[in-house]
Amino acid sequence: MLNIKNLHAAVEGNAILKGINLNVKAGEVHAIMGPNGSGKSSLASVLAGREAYEVTDGSVEFEGKDLLDMSPEVRAREGLFLAFQYPVEIPGVSNINFLKTAVNEIRAYHGQPPMQAKAFLDMLKSKQKLMEFDANLMNRSLNEGFSGGEKKRNDIFQMAMLEPKLAIMDETDSGLDIDALRVVSAGVNKLRSKDNAFIIITHYQRLLEYIVPDFVHVLYNGRIVKSGTKELALELEEKGYDWLKEDIRLEEPVQ
Amino acid sequence: MTTIASNIPSLYDTLPAQFSTLTAGAQWPEARKEAFDRFQALGGFPTVKVEDWKYTNVIPFFRSLQTLQLPAPIAITEAQLEATGLLLPDVYRIVLLNGELQPQLSELPPAKQATVLKMSEAAAEPAFTAHFNNSQKLAEHHFAQLNTAFFTNGLFIEAKAKAQVEKPLHIIHLYHNTSSLLVNPRHLWVAQEGASIQIIESAAGLDGSGTMVVNSVVEAVTTERSQMSHYQLQTGGGQLRFINQTLVQQRGKSLYNNYTFTLSESELVRNNLNISLDDERTETHLFGFYIATGNQLVDNHTSVDHRMPNCESNELYRGVLMDKATGVFNGKIYVHEDAQKTNAFQQNNNLVISPEANIYTKPQLEIFADDVKCSHGTTIGQVSEEALFYLKARGIGDAMARSMLVKAFAFDITAQVKIPAVRKQVEQLATRYLSAAVNN
């Protein structure tokens, strides 16, 4: 589904990603962990198409197409979804109107007619139920005055509505209390299928107790320095990141 | 004065002659004479050298004008009214043509709730004599003086004491001309003790020839414990230019709400809104929204004069500037020494969409009391990049996302409108102007 090869990226001339290789297949959940400043969120931003990031080398294929060649909206329409670390508040745009517009823009891209009002509302209701999302939030302005937890839940609810092939969750667990974490994780688990895939970016192992990954990768200094299964996450939790940094330092040639 | 006269030779030079002809035998001769003298003493039409007109050069708009003589009245049909697209349900519809009441097209409120008369028939009304031409601020405005000198007609409205005027009064100003014309409508609206009234103004130009400058004055008075909501929907076609003076005097515990929404094709709209808080415990809300496209110039000058203690004023103006349009906002809040415990807030936000559009915005607070809460803020910007990216990341295209964000910015203001039909009409008009621009 997603094939990242030797990806290099920079912000304002500073190299942030320094050769990422990652292959994600349908049905898989990949966790990306790493210390602060290692490039985790940058990877999410580059994949979603944030303008500030300049790709300096490498390639990313998504379902056989060149992802880097697409605008952010086309990436989304092709089935890529970014759950934001900080979902944006947009006063004056109602949640429901926003979702309807998004659904219909994606449908138009695939040559489908706009969804009928009734069908849309039915879908909305069933997903609300599935995701345990408070219906009262639907008519409010997008994320305006939402608590941190409500914003993250809204993002996951949007994911349920848009049914992406690949969801990238950028530190979705940050700022969540344990109850919100449980609800958000349960939502993600309900959406997991053999046809879609998830990249879960997180700082802590805690989230991975709820959303069990197939693979765990450690990002450090713009590169994936270690990959393994879910046990790797436990090891990191126990030992921290310092032992990895030591290992890497030993491996790196003396300058 | 000679330099100014030479700016608009055709019109300014003819004013004394037009004054003698047009006002011969007219009512209120002393007031007119005094105002005309004052207009001339102020220097005639203001140039950009006058501080209040620094960014708004009216001279080119007056250059082509020929006369202040109204054309012969024409018959207006229901179909013509319908065609303006401005009609509202559940209102007392009051139609004016060049400031002149058209009774056959109008439905007035019950006499026990409100008196509605032509200004020319109101001279004997006690509320008229008490308040006509009474606002101190009139003397400061060049165009208000010109209006007092030359005004033809307009509406006197008096909401009776304790009356709750059931439905809003919807004044539809129709304008018609056969040559380039300066028209001066004049209104006086009084809400008596404990009364409550809603007044909506709309404007439309009928087919005619030449351009037309509408120089109007509204004097409004809210007496003790009364409430007035005043909607100025500045609609209207391309041949119209507007210079409005709205002068409000508030007495004790009264409430005045003003909604000034400029959604038109007029090349020039200048609003002077002056509120004078003359007694304690008044409340004032001013909401403004303007969309300026093409070469339009939309200028809002507001002032709120806190003269007495314990009053509250709240002002929120927003604008969207596109193409080569220019916006001006000047918001003055004056808190006099006696006006302790004043709460005064002001906010002006502008979205400048095109690189060639301009906005000049200036909050102006002068505070002479020491126990007050005052704040002001002004912003000029484009749509938020972060919000834009969020929408795009959900599959929404660039143009659609921008349009959603601009509308959201605008509808935050229109949401303040309390009359659903007005809100709907305003949002439709706003959508039309915004879509045209965003899709360019």
Side-chain angles (χ1 to χ4, degrees):
Chain A
M1 179 176 287
L2 185 76
N3 199 354
I4 304 176
K5 280 186 191 153
N6 191 33
L7 182 65
H8 287 69
V11 175
E12 289 171 356
N14 299 320
I16 305 283
L17 302 182
K18 302 168 183 172
I20 303 258
N21 293 291
L22 182 66
N23 199 347
V24 179
K25 296 195 180 67
E28 292 177 352
V29 174
H30 290 247
I32 295 184
M33 303 182 72
N36 285 330
S38 58
K40 301 189 302 290
S41 286
S42 297
L43 177 60
S45 294
V46 169
L47 293 178
R50 246 185 224 280
E51 257 176 46
Y53 291 81
E54 189 199 348
V55 174
T56 49
D57 200 3
S59 67
V60 180
E61 261 184 24
F62 180 52
E63 294 280 73
K65 295 179 186 169
D66 181 0
L67 185 77
L68 301 176
D69 205 27
M70 301 174 196
S71 64
E73 59 269 34
V74 170
R75 295 178 196 204
R77 292 167 188 169
E78 287 283 351
L80 185 122
F81 184 96
L82 173 67
F84 280 60
Q85 186 174 3
Y86 305 106
V88 184
E89 294 194 21
I90 309 186
V93 172
S94 83
N95 229 340
I96 193 161
N97 191 30
F98 156 72
L99 268 177
K100 196 193 276 176
T101 308
V103 165
N104 284 333
E105 290 259 301
I106 292 170
R107 288 175 65 89
Y109 178 79
H110 294 288
Q112 295 163 322
M115 228 172 165
Q116 296 294 315
K118 171 88 170 61
F120 178 76
L121 284 176
D122 287 348
M123 179 174 169
L124 203 65
K125 271 184 203 155
S126 77
K127 301 284 183 181
Q128 267 168 10
K129 213 173 150 196
L130 184 72
M131 295 287 113
E132 299 174 48
F133 190 72
D134 184 354
N136 290 326
L137 296 176
M138 280 321 298
N139 289 314
R140 300 227 328 240
S141 280
L142 185 48
N143 291 331
E144 191 188 18
F146 285 24
S147 70
E150 284 170 337
K151 285 180 187 171
K152 298 291 173 78
R153 287 174 68 170
N154 197 15
D155 252 27
I156 304 304
F157 176 68
Q158 291 166 20
M159 189 198 289
M161 287 293 292
L162 302 180
E163 299 175 336
K165 291 176 190 155
L166 174 67
I168 302 163
M169 301 177 60
D170 187 8
E171 301 203 18
T172 297
D173 51 336
S174 72
L176 286 190
D177 61 31
I178 199 79
D179 292 324
L181 185 69
R182 218 171 267 150
V183 175
V184 164
S185 312
V188 171
N189 285 329
K190 284 175 195 168
L191 297 177
R192 281 175 81 163
S193 80
K194 64 175 174 36
D195 301 318
N196 61 22
F198 290 80
I199 295 176
I200 294 171
I201 292 170
T202 180
H203 206 71
Y204 303 104
Q205 188 265 340
R206 196 177 63 163
L207 177 67
L208 305 180
E209 285 174 14
Y210 296 96
I211 307 172
V212 181
D214 301 300
F215 301 97
V216 174
H217 310 278
V218 180
L219 197 63
Y220 178 65
N221 198 16
R223 272 185 298 180
I224 290 176
V225 293
K226 201 167 178 66
S227 294
T229 54
K230 62 184 179 198
E231 283 73 26
L232 178 58
L234 290 169
E235 202 177 346
L236 288 168
E237 183 77 1
E238 201 178 308
K239 300 191 195 167
Y241 291 109
D242 286 346
W243 63 280
L244 270 174
K245 292 182 193 171
E246 281 302 316
D247 282 5
I248 294 152
R249 221 164 281 144
L250 294 176
E251 282 168 26
E252 295 214 334
V254 178
Q255 303 265 318
Chain B
M1 203 201 300
T2 43
T3 55
I4 293 164
S6 65
N7 283 329
I8 315 177
S10 59
L11 187 64
Y12 189 77
D13 290 349
T14 66
L15 282 182
Q18 296 210 49
F19 183 71
S20 332
T21 331
L22 294 172
T23 65
Q27 288 165 291
W28 311 289
E30 295 85 11
R32 290 181 190 277
K33 178 71 174 65
E34 198 185 313
F36 191 51
D37 289 347
R38 172 93 185 135
F39 174 71
Q40 289 176 307
L42 283 169
F45 297 104
T47 67
V48 292
K49 286 179 184 155
V50 176
E51 180 65 24
D52 262 357
W53 295 87
K54 193 173 172 184
Y55 303 108
T56 300
N57 185 6
V58 293
I59 303 302
F61 295 95
F62 283 81
R63 195 166 280 140
S64 66
L65 294 183
Q66 291 155 358
T67 184
L68 287 80
Q69 168 86 59
L70 294 183
I74 53 165
I76 312 285
T77 63
E78 195 64 37
Q80 272 175 299
L81 271 179
E82 198 68 54
T84 62
L86 299 170
L87 300 189
L88 293 165
D90 304 319
V91 293
Y92 297 113
R93 185 181 79 188
I94 299 172
V95 179
L96 306 190
L97 175 63
N98 290 344
E100 195 72 26
L101 177 67
Q102 307 291 301
Q104 75 287 1
L105 295 168
S106 305
E107 181 202 357
L108 303 183
K112 63 177 191 323
Q113 292 181 8
T115 303
V116 177
L117 291 171
K118 293 180 180 183
M119 290 288 273
S120 58
E121 292 166 355
E125 297 288 323
F128 184 95
T129 42
H131 301 296
F132 170 68
N133 208 26
N134 194 29
S135 170
Q136 291 180 2
K137 285 276 177 185
L138 282 167
E140 292 175 18
H141 292 297
H142 301 66
F143 286 101
Q145 293 303 311
L146 186 68
N147 178 285
T148 306
F150 283 95
F151 81 90
T152 49
N153 220 335
L155 278 188
F156 168 74
I157 301 172
E158 180 189 7
K160 298 291 177 65
K162 299 199 173 63
Q164 313 295 304
V165 182
E166 226 177 301
K167 294 190 283 182
L169 276 61
H170 183 203
I171 303 170
I172 302 176
H173 299 281
L174 297 177
Y175 295 106
H176 164 74
N177 58 331
T178 51
S179 60
S180 296
L181 177 72
L182 171 63
V183 60
N184 294 279
R186 176 68 169 244
H187 313 281
L188 172 62
W189 304 338
V190 181
Q192 295 292 22
E193 220 178 295
S196 142
I197 187 167
Q198 304 175 80
I199 299 174
I200 307 161
E201 295 185 84
S202 306
L206 302 172
D207 288 343
S209 56
T211 58
M212 195 165 175
V213 174
V214 179
N215 174 36
S216 76
V217 170
V218 175
E219 285 183 275
V221 180
T222 58
T223 64
E224 280 72 13
R225 291 183 303 282
S226 66
Q227 303 195 350
M228 185 184 286
S229 286
H230 180 191
Y231 294 83
Q232 296 180 296
L233 310 183
Q234 301 183 316
T235 51
Q239 87 272 34
L240 298 173
R241 291 97 174 78
F242 293 97
I243 296 174
N244 292 305
Q245 281 73 216
T246 304
L247 305 127
V248 184
Q249 299 176 71
Q250 285 191 252
R251 302 287 158 80
K253 297 179 187 162
S254 68
L255 167 70
Y256 176 78
N257 295 324
N258 181 289
Y259 303 78
T260 299
F261 293 160
T262 306
L263 302 160
S264 76
E265 277 126 44
S266 300
E267 278 182 32
L268 171 71
V269 177
R270 163 67 180 247
N271 296 307
N272 297 300
L273 174 60
N274 300 109
I275 316 286
S276 184
L277 308 178
D278 298 341
D279 203 348
E280 293 197 40
R281 298 187 195 282
T282 59
E283 191 181 330
T284 314
H285 298 276
L286 310 178
F287 298 105
F289 179 58
Y290 41 94
I291 299 178
T293 62
N295 286 309
Q296 272 184 302
L297 196 167
V298 179
D299 178 347
N300 282 289
H301 268 64
T302 68
S303 75
V304 182
D305 223 355
H306 281 266
R307 300 173 168 278
M308 300 292 279
N310 296 306
C311 294
E312 182 173 332
S313 70
N314 222 316
E315 178 171 14
L316 175 60
Y317 269 63
R318 281 199 170 174
V320 181
L321 290 309
M322 307 185 281
D323 305 329
K324 294 179 176 174
T326 302
V328 181
F329 174 81
N330 190 105
K332 195 185 237 178
I333 296 175
Y334 198 102
V335 182
H336 293 251
E337 209 177 331
D338 292 338
Q340 298 296 358
K341 307 279 181 195
T342 285
N343 281 328
F345 306 104
Q346 182 193 91
Q347 182 85 33
N348 174 234
N349 310 113
N350 299 282
L351 212 48
V352 182
I353 290 180
S354 136
E356 289 174 288
N358 288 299
I359 173 77
Y360 302 93
T361 173
K362 181 176 164 197
Q364 221 181 331
L365 271 65
E366 292 181 46
I367 302 170
F368 297 95
D370 51 21
D371 185 13
V372 300
K373 269 189 217 163
C374 292
S375 73
H376 67 87
T378 184
T379 62
I380 300 172
Q382 284 86 40
V383 293
S384 146
E385 285 300 323
E386 190 58 24
L388 200 58
F389 180 69
Y390 191 72
L391 296 180
K392 287 184 187 179
R394 298 296 175 258
I396 299 172
D398 186 78
M400 174 72 86
R402 282 177 195 278
S403 160
M404 284 173 81
L405 292 174
V406 173
K407 276 184 201 164
F409 174 81
F411 287 3
D412 219 27
I413 281 273
T414 54
Q416 304 293 335
V417 173
K418 300 288 185 294
I419 305 171
V422 172
R423 180 174 170 184
K424 192 175 156 202
Q425 188 181 83
V426 165
E427 289 184 350
Q428 280 170 353
L429 277 169
T431 302
R432 194 211 294 167
Y433 285 114
L434 293 175
S435 313
V438 173
N439 295 337
N440 269 347

